[in-house]
């Protein structure tokens, strides 16, 4: 996994998780949903990079 893509994935996952929890804590469903979306995007980016790495070996 390239370092920059790995960092992007981890950042998206972390920001999404925080945003989701903040949204839930304050009762704002829109913020929570946006956080879930960002977290999922980060998960997909990480999975894509892991798949690329598996094909290289």
């Amino acid at each position: 996994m390239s370092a920059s893509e790995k960092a992007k994935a981890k950042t998206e996952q972390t920001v999404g998780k925080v945003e989701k929890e903040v949204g839930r804590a304050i009762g704002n469903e829109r913020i929570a949903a946006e956080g879930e979306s960002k977290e999922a995007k980060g998960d997909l980016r990480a999975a894509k990079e892991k798949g690329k790495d598996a094909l290289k070996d």
Side-chain angles (χ1 to χ4, degrees):
M1 185 184 297
S2 74
S4 65
E5 289 296 314
K6 184 177 182 179
K8 283 181 187 178
K10 194 53 111 171
T11 300
E12 286 174 338
Q13 291 169 332
T14 303
V15 169
K17 189 173 291 187
V18 169
E19 196 171 310
K20 177 177 68 174
E21 293 304 320
V22 168
R24 287 183 179 164
I26 63 173
N28 189 321
E29 291 181 24
R30 183 185 59 82
I31 293 174
E34 287 176 3
E36 285 184 44
S37 175
K38 286 179 185 176
E39 187 176 8
K41 185 177 177 185
D43 291 343
L44 289 172
R45 185 184 303 272
K48 176 187 82 168
E49 292 302 314
K50 285 180 184 179
K52 283 184 183 178
D53 287 346
L55 292 175
K56 288 181 183 177
D57 292 338

